Amino acid sequence: MLQYSPLPARHYLRPVTETPVADILEAVRFSVLGPVAAVNAVLPGMREAGTGTVVLINGGTSVRPRAGYAGTSIGFAGESAYGQMLHDALEPEGIRVRQLVVPGAVPTDDPERGPDAVAERIWGLHTTPGEFRAFLSPLD
């Protein structure tokens, strides 16, 4: 199983009209090229085994862009598109590719949205076939 869920840099969370090209490029490298490289590293072994799971985890801007969060809105959308394509291409080979959208922060003291809930949801995405995208909680 591969889980890709690095925390984005704070400067990815700038308004679209104030975000320089270099920051957008960095966000795309982080959110699109990062998972491509990670998947390319593990995919041969998954194919050889005939099984495996890739779980991409990111925030709500992956499905609902926000003008105040240009880097994640653009980068996460690209990651989401990549994941959806992988899901469609690899499902016939027995390899699951799933996305977990986690809107907002993960509070440590919330049993429904905290770390234990996230871990349980990731395990479920790994062990249970389903649609590409799942949400930890509804988008506001």
Side-chain angles (χ1 to χ4, degrees):
M1 177 182 181
L2 167 68
Q3 174 197 321
Y4 189 85
S5 61
L7 186 64
R10 301 274 316 148
H11 61 275
Y12 297 168
L13 308 177
R14 289 190 195 148
V16 66
T17 57
E18 299 171 19
T19 304
V21 170
D23 286 358
I24 297 296
L25 181 58
E26 184 181 325
V28 168
R29 284 186 179 127
F30 176 81
S31 296
V32 180
L33 301 181
V36 169
V39 168
N40 285 346
V42 300
L43 188 56
M46 289 181 178
R47 282 186 153 149
E48 185 177 321
T51 189
T53 305
V54 174
V55 179
L56 304 173
I57 303 173
N58 43 37
T61 58
S62 64
V63 293
R64 187 180 295 157
R66 295 178 60 188
Y69 300 100
T72 60
S73 292
I74 293 168
F76 286 176
E79 181 180 336
S80 183
Y82 173 65
Q84 179 71 62
M85 291 184 290
L86 281 176
H87 172 80
D88 296 344
L90 296 173
E91 189 174 39
E93 297 182 43
I95 299 169
R96 292 188 180 110
V97 180
R98 310 288 300 278
Q99 177 188 36
L100 179 60
V101 177
V102 180
V106 176
T108 57
D109 59 349
D110 185 340
E112 306 223 353
R113 292 186 28 81
D116 290 343
V118 173
E120 191 173 309
R121 195 62 185 274
I122 293 168
W123 182 252
L125 294 173
H126 169 59
T127 59
T128 308
E131 297 296 316
F132 167 66
R133 182 174 293 131
F135 293 86
L136 180 64
S137 59
L139 288 176
D140 293 331

Short mmCIF file of all heavy atoms in Angstrom, two decimals, residues 10-68:
data_model
loop_
_atom_site.label_atom_id
_atom_site.label_comp_id
_atom_site.label_asym_id
_atom_site.label_seq_id
_atom_site.Cartn_x
_atom_site.Cartn_y
_atom_site.Cartn_z
N ARG A 10 2.65 26.50 3.61
CA ARG A 10 1.72 27.61 3.89
C ARG A 10 1.55 28.54 2.69
O ARG A 10 0.48 29.08 2.48
CB ARG A 10 2.22 28.42 5.09
CG ARG A 10 2.37 27.63 6.36
CD ARG A 10 1.18 27.48 7.23
NE ARG A 10 0.38 28.64 7.45
CZ ARG A 10 -0.94 28.57 7.63
NH1 ARG A 10 -1.55 27.42 7.62
NH2 ARG A 10 -1.63 29.65 7.83
N HIS A 11 2.62 28.73 1.91
CA HIS A 11 2.50 29.67 0.79
C HIS A 11 1.68 29.10 -0.37
O HIS A 11 1.43 29.81 -1.34
CB HIS A 11 3.87 30.20 0.33
CG HIS A 11 4.80 29.16 -0.17
ND1 HIS A 11 5.61 28.43 0.67
CD2 HIS A 11 5.06 28.73 -1.42
CE1 HIS A 11 6.33 27.59 -0.05
NE2 HIS A 11 6.02 27.75 -1.31
N TYR A 12 1.22 27.85 -0.27
CA TYR A 12 0.28 27.33 -1.27
C TYR A 12 -1.13 27.86 -0.98
O TYR A 12 -2.04 27.65 -1.77
CB TYR A 12 0.21 25.81 -1.25
CG TYR A 12 1.50 25.09 -1.60
CD1 TYR A 12 1.61 23.74 -1.38
CD2 TYR A 12 2.58 25.74 -2.15
CE1 TYR A 12 2.77 23.04 -1.68
CE2 TYR A 12 3.75 25.07 -2.47
CZ TYR A 12 3.83 23.73 -2.23
OH TYR A 12 4.99 23.04 -2.53
N LEU A 13 -1.29 28.51 0.15
CA LEU A 13 -2.61 28.94 0.60
C LEU A 13 -2.79 30.45 0.43
O LEU A 13 -3.42 31.11 1.24
CB LEU A 13 -2.80 28.55 2.08
CG LEU A 13 -2.54 27.07 2.40
CD1 LEU A 13 -2.69 26.82 3.90
CD2 LEU A 13 -3.46 26.16 1.62
N ARG A 14 -2.27 30.98 -0.65
CA ARG A 14 -2.41 32.41 -0.96
C ARG A 14 -3.54 32.63 -1.95
O ARG A 14 -3.87 31.74 -2.72
CB ARG A 14 -1.12 32.94 -1.59
CG ARG A 14 0.03 33.03 -0.66
CD ARG A 14 1.16 33.78 -1.33
NE ARG A 14 2.39 33.57 -0.60
CZ ARG A 14 3.57 33.53 -1.15
NH1 ARG A 14 3.72 33.67 -2.44
NH2 ARG A 14 4.64 33.36 -0.41
N PRO A 15 -4.06 33.86 -1.98
CA PRO A 15 -5.07 34.18 -2.98
C PRO A 15 -4.52 34.04 -4.40
O PRO A 15 -3.35 34.30 -4.66
CB PRO A 15 -5.42 35.64 -2.68
CG PRO A 15 -5.05 35.84 -1.24
CD PRO A 15 -3.84 34.96 -1.03
N VAL A 16 -5.38 33.64 -5.30
CA VAL A 16 -4.97 33.37 -6.68
C VAL A 16 -4.35 34.60 -7.35
O VAL A 16 -3.42 34.48 -8.13
CB VAL A 16 -6.15 32.80 -7.51
CG1 VAL A 16 -7.27 33.82 -7.69
CG2 VAL A 16 -5.68 32.25 -8.83
N THR A 17 -4.84 35.79 -7.03
CA THR A 17 -4.30 37.01 -7.65
C THR A 17 -2.97 37.45 -7.05
O THR A 17 -2.34 38.35 -7.58
CB THR A 17 -5.31 38.16 -7.53
OG1 THR A 17 -5.62 38.36 -6.14
CG2 THR A 17 -6.59 37.84 -8.32
N GLU A 18 -2.55 36.79 -5.96
CA GLU A 18 -1.30 37.16 -5.30
C GLU A 18 -0.27 36.02 -5.31
O GLU A 18 0.75 36.10 -4.62
CB GLU A 18 -1.59 37.56 -3.85
CG GLU A 18 -2.51 38.75 -3.73
CD GLU A 18 -2.97 39.00 -2.30
OE1 GLU A 18 -2.32 38.49 -1.36
OE2 GLU A 18 -3.99 39.68 -2.14
N THR A 19 -0.55 34.98 -6.09
CA THR A 19 0.34 33.82 -6.10
C THR A 19 1.22 33.85 -7.34
O THR A 19 0.71 33.80 -8.47
CB THR A 19 -0.48 32.53 -6.06
OG1 THR A 19 -1.32 32.56 -4.91
CG2 THR A 19 0.42 31.31 -5.98
N PRO A 20 2.54 33.92 -7.16
CA PRO A 20 3.43 33.95 -8.32
C PRO A 20 3.52 32.58 -9.00
O PRO A 20 3.25 31.54 -8.40
CB PRO A 20 4.77 34.36 -7.73
CG PRO A 20 4.70 34.01 -6.28
CD PRO A 20 3.24 34.07 -5.90
N VAL A 21 3.93 32.61 -10.24
CA VAL A 21 4.06 31.39 -11.04
C VAL A 21 4.96 30.37 -10.34
O VAL A 21 4.66 29.18 -10.33
CB VAL A 21 4.63 31.73 -12.45
CG1 VAL A 21 5.01 30.47 -13.20
CG2 VAL A 21 3.63 32.55 -13.24
N ALA A 22 6.03 30.82 -9.73
CA ALA A 22 6.95 29.89 -9.07
C ALA A 22 6.25 29.10 -7.97
O ALA A 22 6.52 27.91 -7.79
CB ALA A 22 8.14 30.66 -8.49
N ASP A 23 5.34 29.72 -7.24
CA ASP A 23 4.62 29.01 -6.18
C ASP A 23 3.62 28.01 -6.75
O ASP A 23 3.43 26.93 -6.18
CB ASP A 23 3.90 30.00 -5.26
CG ASP A 23 4.85 30.75 -4.34
OD1 ASP A 23 6.07 30.48 -4.38
OD2 ASP A 23 4.37 31.62 -3.60
N ILE A 24 2.99 28.35 -7.86
CA ILE A 24 2.07 27.40 -8.52
C ILE A 24 2.87 26.21 -9.03
O ILE A 24 2.47 25.06 -8.86
CB ILE A 24 1.28 28.07 -9.67
CG1 ILE A 24 0.40 29.20 -9.13
CG2 ILE A 24 0.48 27.04 -10.44
CD1 ILE A 24 -0.70 28.76 -8.18
N LEU A 25 4.01 26.48 -9.64
CA LEU A 25 4.86 25.40 -10.13
C LEU A 25 5.31 24.49 -8.99
O LEU A 25 5.27 23.26 -9.11
CB LEU A 25 6.07 25.97 -10.87
CG LEU A 25 7.05 24.97 -11.46
CD1 LEU A 25 6.36 24.04 -12.45
CD2 LEU A 25 8.19 25.71 -12.14
N GLU A 26 5.68 25.07 -7.87
CA GLU A 26 6.08 24.28 -6.71
C GLU A 26 4.91 23.43 -6.20
O GLU A 26 5.09 22.25 -5.87
CB GLU A 26 6.58 25.20 -5.60
CG GLU A 26 7.11 24.48 -4.40
CD GLU A 26 7.57 25.43 -3.31
OE1 GLU A 26 8.10 26.52 -3.63
OE2 GLU A 26 7.40 25.08 -2.13
N ALA A 27 3.72 23.99 -6.16
CA ALA A 27 2.54 23.25 -5.70
C ALA A 27 2.23 22.09 -6.65
O ALA A 27 1.84 21.00 -6.20
CB ALA A 27 1.34 24.18 -5.59
N VAL A 28 2.40 22.29 -7.94
CA VAL A 28 2.16 21.23 -8.92
C VAL A 28 3.22 20.13 -8.76
O VAL A 28 2.90 18.94 -8.80
CB VAL A 28 2.11 21.79 -10.36
CG1 VAL A 28 2.16 20.68 -11.39
CG2 VAL A 28 0.86 22.64 -10.53
N ARG A 29 4.46 20.52 -8.58
CA ARG A 29 5.51 19.51 -8.35
C ARG A 29 5.18 18.67 -7.11
O ARG A 29 5.33 17.46 -7.12
CB ARG A 29 6.87 20.18 -8.17
CG ARG A 29 7.49 20.65 -9.44
CD ARG A 29 8.90 21.17 -9.18
NE ARG A 29 9.51 21.60 -10.40
CZ ARG A 29 10.05 22.79 -10.59
NH1 ARG A 29 10.07 23.67 -9.62
NH2 ARG A 29 10.59 23.10 -11.75
N PHE A 30 4.76 19.34 -6.06
CA PHE A 30 4.45 18.70 -4.79
C PHE A 30 3.24 17.78 -4.89
O PHE A 30 3.27 16.65 -4.44
CB PHE A 30 4.20 19.82 -3.77
CG PHE A 30 3.78 19.38 -2.41
CD1 PHE A 30 4.73 18.96 -1.49
CD2 PHE A 30 2.45 19.42 -2.03
CE1 PHE A 30 4.35 18.58 -0.22
CE2 PHE A 30 2.07 19.04 -0.76
CZ PHE A 30 3.01 18.62 0.15
N SER A 31 2.18 18.29 -5.50
CA SER A 31 0.89 17.57 -5.49
C SER A 31 0.65 16.67 -6.70
O SER A 31 -0.21 15.80 -6.64
CB SER A 31 -0.25 18.57 -5.38
OG SER A 31 -0.21 19.25 -4.16
N VAL A 32 1.36 16.89 -7.78
CA VAL A 32 1.16 16.06 -8.97
C VAL A 32 2.41 15.21 -9.25
O VAL A 32 2.31 13.98 -9.32
CB VAL A 32 0.81 16.91 -10.21
CG1 VAL A 32 0.62 16.03 -11.44
CG2 VAL A 32 -0.45 17.74 -9.96
N LEU A 33 3.54 15.84 -9.37
CA LEU A 33 4.75 15.08 -9.71
C LEU A 33 5.21 14.20 -8.55
O LEU A 33 5.77 13.12 -8.78
CB LEU A 33 5.86 16.02 -10.17
CG LEU A 33 5.51 16.87 -11.40
CD1 LEU A 33 6.69 17.76 -11.79
CD2 LEU A 33 5.06 16.01 -12.56
N GLY A 34 4.96 14.62 -7.31
CA GLY A 34 5.29 13.79 -6.16
C GLY A 34 4.58 12.45 -6.19
O GLY A 34 5.23 11.40 -6.11
N PRO A 35 3.25 12.44 -6.32
CA PRO A 35 2.57 11.15 -6.38
C PRO A 35 2.91 10.35 -7.64
O PRO A 35 2.95 9.12 -7.59
CB PRO A 35 1.08 11.48 -6.33
CG PRO A 35 0.95 12.94 -6.35
CD PRO A 35 2.31 13.55 -6.19
N VAL A 36 3.17 11.02 -8.75
CA VAL A 36 3.56 10.28 -9.96
C VAL A 36 4.86 9.52 -9.68
O VAL A 36 4.97 8.33 -10.00
CB VAL A 36 3.71 11.22 -11.18
CG1 VAL A 36 4.37 10.51 -12.35
CG2 VAL A 36 2.34 11.78 -11.60
N ALA A 37 5.84 10.19 -9.08
CA ALA A 37 7.11 9.53 -8.77
C ALA A 37 6.91 8.39 -7.77
O ALA A 37 7.48 7.30 -7.95
CB ALA A 37 8.11 10.55 -8.22
N ALA A 38 6.09 8.62 -6.75
CA ALA A 38 5.86 7.58 -5.74
C ALA A 38 5.16 6.36 -6.36
O ALA A 38 5.55 5.22 -6.10
CB ALA A 38 5.03 8.14 -4.59
N VAL A 39 4.15 6.61 -7.17
CA VAL A 39 3.43 5.50 -7.82
C VAL A 39 4.35 4.75 -8.77
O VAL A 39 4.36 3.51 -8.80
CB VAL A 39 2.16 6.00 -8.55
CG1 VAL A 39 1.58 4.93 -9.46
CG2 VAL A 39 1.11 6.46 -7.53
N ASN A 40 5.15 5.48 -9.53
CA ASN A 40 6.08 4.81 -10.44
C ASN A 40 7.06 3.90 -9.70
O ASN A 40 7.50 2.89 -10.24
CB ASN A 40 6.84 5.84 -11.28
CG ASN A 40 5.99 6.45 -12.37
OD1 ASN A 40 4.92 5.94 -12.70
ND2 ASN A 40 6.44 7.56 -12.92
N ALA A 41 7.38 4.25 -8.45
CA ALA A 41 8.30 3.43 -7.67
C ALA A 41 7.67 2.13 -7.19
O ALA A 41 8.34 1.11 -7.09
CB ALA A 41 8.82 4.23 -6.47
N VAL A 42 6.36 2.14 -6.88
CA VAL A 42 5.73 0.95 -6.31
C VAL A 42 4.88 0.16 -7.30
O VAL A 42 4.58 -1.02 -7.06
CB VAL A 42 4.85 1.31 -5.08
CG1 VAL A 42 5.70 1.96 -3.99
CG2 VAL A 42 3.68 2.19 -5.46
N LEU A 43 4.51 0.76 -8.40
CA LEU A 43 3.60 0.10 -9.33
C LEU A 43 4.15 -1.20 -9.91
O LEU A 43 3.40 -2.18 -10.01
CB LEU A 43 3.17 1.06 -10.44
CG LEU A 43 2.08 0.55 -11.38
CD1 LEU A 43 0.83 0.13 -10.60
CD2 LEU A 43 1.73 1.62 -12.40
N PRO A 44 5.41 -1.30 -10.28
CA PRO A 44 5.88 -2.58 -10.80
C PRO A 44 5.67 -3.74 -9.82
O PRO A 44 5.24 -4.83 -10.20
CB PRO A 44 7.38 -2.34 -11.07
CG PRO A 44 7.47 -0.87 -11.33
CD PRO A 44 6.45 -0.25 -10.39
N GLY A 45 5.94 -3.51 -8.54
CA GLY A 45 5.73 -4.54 -7.53
C GLY A 45 4.27 -4.89 -7.35
O GLY A 45 3.90 -6.06 -7.18
N MET A 46 3.41 -3.89 -7.39
CA MET A 46 1.98 -4.14 -7.28
C MET A 46 1.49 -4.95 -8.48
O MET A 46 0.70 -5.88 -8.32
CB MET A 46 1.20 -2.82 -7.17
CG MET A 46 1.37 -2.12 -5.86
SD MET A 46 0.38 -0.59 -5.83
CE MET A 46 0.70 -0.01 -4.17
N ARG A 47 1.97 -4.59 -9.65
CA ARG A 47 1.56 -5.34 -10.84
C ARG A 47 2.04 -6.78 -10.77
O ARG A 47 1.31 -7.70 -11.15
CB ARG A 47 2.07 -4.64 -12.10
CG ARG A 47 1.26 -3.45 -12.48
CD ARG A 47 1.71 -2.88 -13.80
NE ARG A 47 0.60 -2.20 -14.44
CZ ARG A 47 0.73 -1.15 -15.23
NH1 ARG A 47 1.94 -0.67 -15.49
NH2 ARG A 47 -0.34 -0.61 -15.77
N GLU A 48 3.26 -6.96 -10.31
CA GLU A 48 3.79 -8.32 -10.20
C GLU A 48 2.97 -9.14 -9.20
O GLU A 48 2.68 -10.31 -9.43
CB GLU A 48 5.26 -8.26 -9.75
CG GLU A 48 5.92 -9.62 -9.72
CD GLU A 48 7.39 -9.51 -9.34
OE1 GLU A 48 8.06 -8.56 -9.80
OE2 GLU A 48 7.85 -10.39 -8.60
N ALA A 49 2.55 -8.50 -8.11
CA ALA A 49 1.75 -9.18 -7.09
C ALA A 49 0.29 -9.33 -7.51
O ALA A 49 -0.43 -10.16 -6.97
CB ALA A 49 1.83 -8.42 -5.78
N GLY A 50 -0.13 -8.50 -8.47
CA GLY A 50 -1.53 -8.54 -8.89
C GLY A 50 -2.48 -7.91 -7.89
O GLY A 50 -3.69 -8.11 -7.94
N THR A 51 -1.93 -7.10 -6.99
CA THR A 51 -2.74 -6.44 -5.97
C THR A 51 -1.97 -5.26 -5.42
O THR A 51 -0.77 -5.14 -5.61
CB THR A 51 -3.12 -7.41 -4.83
OG1 THR A 51 -4.07 -6.78 -3.97
CG2 THR A 51 -1.91 -7.86 -4.05
N GLY A 52 -2.69 -4.40 -4.72
CA GLY A 52 -2.06 -3.24 -4.09
C GLY A 52 -3.07 -2.11 -4.00
O GLY A 52 -4.13 -2.16 -4.63
N THR A 53 -2.71 -1.11 -3.22
CA THR A 53 -3.59 0.04 -3.04
C THR A 53 -2.75 1.31 -3.00
O THR A 53 -1.70 1.35 -2.36
CB THR A 53 -4.37 -0.06 -1.71
OG1 THR A 53 -5.09 -1.29 -1.68
CG2 THR A 53 -5.36 1.09 -1.57
N VAL A 54 -3.26 2.33 -3.66
CA VAL A 54 -2.71 3.68 -3.58
C VAL A 54 -3.82 4.55 -3.00
O VAL A 54 -4.93 4.56 -3.54
CB VAL A 54 -2.29 4.21 -4.97
CG1 VAL A 54 -1.86 5.67 -4.88
CG2 VAL A 54 -1.21 3.34 -5.59
N VAL A 55 -3.52 5.24 -1.91
CA VAL A 55 -4.49 6.16 -1.31
C VAL A 55 -3.88 7.55 -1.35
O VAL A 55 -2.82 7.80 -0.77
CB VAL A 55 -4.86 5.78 0.13
CG1 VAL A 55 -5.86 6.79 0.71
CG2 VAL A 55 -5.44 4.38 0.20
N LEU A 56 -4.56 8.45 -2.06
CA LEU A 56 -4.16 9.85 -2.14
C LEU A 56 -5.05 10.63 -1.18
O LEU A 56 -6.27 10.55 -1.27
CB LEU A 56 -4.33 10.36 -3.57
CG LEU A 56 -3.60 9.57 -4.65
CD1 LEU A 56 -3.99 10.07 -6.03
CD2 LEU A 56 -2.10 9.64 -4.45
N ILE A 57 -4.45 11.37 -0.29
CA ILE A 57 -5.21 12.10 0.71
C ILE A 57 -4.92 13.58 0.56
O ILE A 57 -3.77 14.00 0.53
CB ILE A 57 -4.84 11.65 2.14
CG1 ILE A 57 -5.06 10.14 2.26
CG2 ILE A 57 -5.65 12.41 3.17
CD1 ILE A 57 -4.56 9.55 3.55
N ASN A 58 -5.98 14.35 0.42
CA ASN A 58 -5.82 15.80 0.37
C ASN A 58 -7.09 16.50 0.83
O ASN A 58 -8.03 15.85 1.25
CB ASN A 58 -5.34 16.29 -1.01
CG ASN A 58 -6.03 15.63 -2.15
OD1 ASN A 58 -7.22 15.35 -2.09
ND2 ASN A 58 -5.31 15.35 -3.21
N GLY A 59 -7.07 17.81 0.75
CA GLY A 59 -8.15 18.61 1.29
C GLY A 59 -9.28 18.88 0.32
O GLY A 59 -9.29 18.43 -0.82
N GLY A 60 -10.22 19.64 0.82
CA GLY A 60 -11.43 19.95 0.05
C GLY A 60 -11.18 20.72 -1.23
O GLY A 60 -11.98 20.65 -2.16
N THR A 61 -10.05 21.45 -1.31
CA THR A 61 -9.77 22.19 -2.55
C THR A 61 -9.47 21.26 -3.72
O THR A 61 -9.44 21.70 -4.86
CB THR A 61 -8.61 23.19 -2.37
OG1 THR A 61 -7.44 22.51 -1.95
CG2 THR A 61 -8.98 24.29 -1.38
N SER A 62 -9.30 19.98 -3.45
CA SER A 62 -9.09 19.02 -4.54
C SER A 62 -10.36 18.85 -5.37
O SER A 62 -10.29 18.45 -6.53
CB SER A 62 -8.64 17.67 -4.00
OG SER A 62 -9.64 17.08 -3.20
N VAL A 63 -11.49 19.12 -4.78
CA VAL A 63 -12.77 18.97 -5.50
C VAL A 63 -13.56 20.27 -5.58
O VAL A 63 -14.49 20.38 -6.39
CB VAL A 63 -13.66 17.87 -4.88
CG1 VAL A 63 -13.02 16.51 -5.08
CG2 VAL A 63 -13.94 18.11 -3.42
N ARG A 64 -13.22 21.24 -4.73
CA ARG A 64 -13.89 22.54 -4.76
C ARG A 64 -12.83 23.62 -4.61
O ARG A 64 -12.44 23.98 -3.50
CB ARG A 64 -14.92 22.64 -3.64
CG ARG A 64 -15.75 23.91 -3.75
CD ARG A 64 -16.78 24.04 -2.65
NE ARG A 64 -17.78 22.98 -2.76
CZ ARG A 64 -18.51 22.56 -1.74
NH1 ARG A 64 -18.37 23.08 -0.55
NH2 ARG A 64 -19.41 21.61 -1.90
N PRO A 65 -12.34 24.15 -5.75
CA PRO A 65 -11.28 25.15 -5.68
C PRO A 65 -11.75 26.41 -4.94
O PRO A 65 -12.92 26.76 -4.99
CB PRO A 65 -10.96 25.46 -7.14
CG PRO A 65 -12.07 24.91 -7.93
CD PRO A 65 -12.77 23.89 -7.11
N ARG A 66 -10.79 27.04 -4.26
CA ARG A 66 -11.07 28.27 -3.52
C ARG A 66 -10.07 29.33 -3.93
O ARG A 66 -8.86 29.09 -3.94
CB ARG A 66 -10.99 28.01 -2.02
CG ARG A 66 -12.08 27.05 -1.56
CD ARG A 66 -12.00 26.75 -0.09
NE ARG A 66 -12.14 27.97 0.71
CZ ARG A 66 -11.95 28.00 2.01
NH1 ARG A 66 -11.62 26.90 2.67
NH2 ARG A 66 -12.08 29.13 2.68
N ALA A 67 -10.56 30.51 -4.26
CA ALA A 67 -9.72 31.60 -4.74
C ALA A 67 -8.65 32.00 -3.73
O ALA A 67 -7.60 32.50 -4.11
CB ALA A 67 -10.57 32.82 -5.10
N GLY A 68 -8.88 31.76 -2.46
CA GLY A 68 -7.91 32.12 -1.44
C GLY A 68 -6.82 31.10 -1.22
O GLY A 68 -5.90 31.32 -0.44
#
